[in-house]
Amino acid sequence: MTDPFAGMRLRCTYCRPHPPKGPKAFRKPDDPETVCRCQRCGKKHSTDSLEVI
């Protein structure tokens, strides 16, 4: 299984201030394709909040 968010970091509004690279993102099996979650706090975000590092 490949990581769909490999090479990307999340701009989490809850975990600020964050390091320059930001936290990693993940998706739960029941989340829609447009949603990712912060690895630190678990908050849902739109995939628009992802940045390529």
Side-chain angles (χ1 to χ4, degrees), residues 3-15:
D3 180 5
F5 305 117
M8 299 181 139
R9 292 292 189 257
L10 185 63
R11 291 186 310 264
C12 181
T13 54
Y14 184 76
C15 287

Side-chain angles (χ1 to χ4, degrees), residues 1-8 25-27 33 35-36 47 50:
M1 184 172 142
T2 59
D3 180 5
F5 305 117
M8 299 181 139
F26 73 98
R27 183 180 293 137
E33 292 290 315
V35 169
C36 59
T47 51
L50 290 168

Side-chain angles (χ1 to χ4, degrees), residues 7-50:
M8 299 181 139
R9 292 292 189 257
L10 185 63
R11 291 186 310 264
C12 181
T13 54
Y14 184 76
C15 287
R16 277 195 254 174
H18 51 75
K21 291 186 179 179
K24 289 185 176 183
F26 73 98
R27 183 180 293 137
K28 288 188 176 182
D30 59 335
D31 285 340
E33 292 290 315
T34 58
V35 169
C36 59
R37 293 176 185 262
C38 176
Q39 190 176 36
R40 286 191 204 143
C41 68
K43 184 176 190 250
K44 283 184 183 180
H45 293 275
S46 165
T47 51
D48 292 338
S49 296
L50 290 168

